[in-house]
Amino acid sequence: MLLNENIKKLRTASGLNQVDFAKKMGVSKQCVSNWENDNVMPSVEMLVKIADFFKVTTDYILGRNELVYLDVSGLSDEQINHVALIVNDLATK
């Protein structure tokens, strides 16, 4: 998947429209639209900010790695195990 498709996929999966996502990133709606339509690429600094916002790696956004990592820091071992069970359950469906 390409950068523009990954940004759109992450945004829509988070339930954000372009306007709301733009506000969270500190850019205009037009800027988000340009990223998603593959007219302009985000700067390196913005790419890192987008990755941090969605809690994914920059490699994932760039389409270099399809693995998705979840930040479970701050969760107890029991909570982490619970999340793992949910993920495994969803992966088998």
Side-chain angles (χ1 to χ4, degrees):
M1 216 177 249
L2 300 173
L3 170 73
N4 62 314
E5 295 169 345
N6 284 333
I7 292 173
K8 184 174 183 177
K9 180 178 76 169
L10 289 165
R11 176 184 60 76
T12 57
S14 296
L16 296 171
N17 61 35
Q18 288 184 342
V19 173
D20 293 335
F21 180 53
K23 286 179 186 174
K24 292 184 182 297
M25 293 296 101
V27 297
S28 68
K29 184 255 184 211
Q30 186 63 38
C31 189
V32 172
S33 177
N34 279 329
W35 296 338
E36 292 183 1
N37 289 314
D38 206 22
N39 296 329
V40 176
M41 291 183 66
S43 67
V44 172
E45 293 82 9
M46 184 56 66
L47 181 65
V48 170
K49 187 174 180 178
I50 294 167
D52 288 346
F53 179 79
F54 289 119
K55 299 191 182 333
V56 297
T57 65
T58 53
D59 276 353
Y60 177 79
I61 293 177
L62 290 169
R64 296 176 46 109
N65 182 351
E66 293 189 18
L67 294 176
V68 177
Y69 299 93
L70 296 174
D71 181 4
V72 294
S73 57
L75 298 180
S76 69
D77 287 343
E78 183 179 348
Q79 291 169 320
I80 292 170
N81 288 334
H82 197 92
V83 169
L85 287 172
I86 293 169
V87 170
N88 288 335
D89 184 49
L90 292 171
T92 60
K93 291 185 177 186

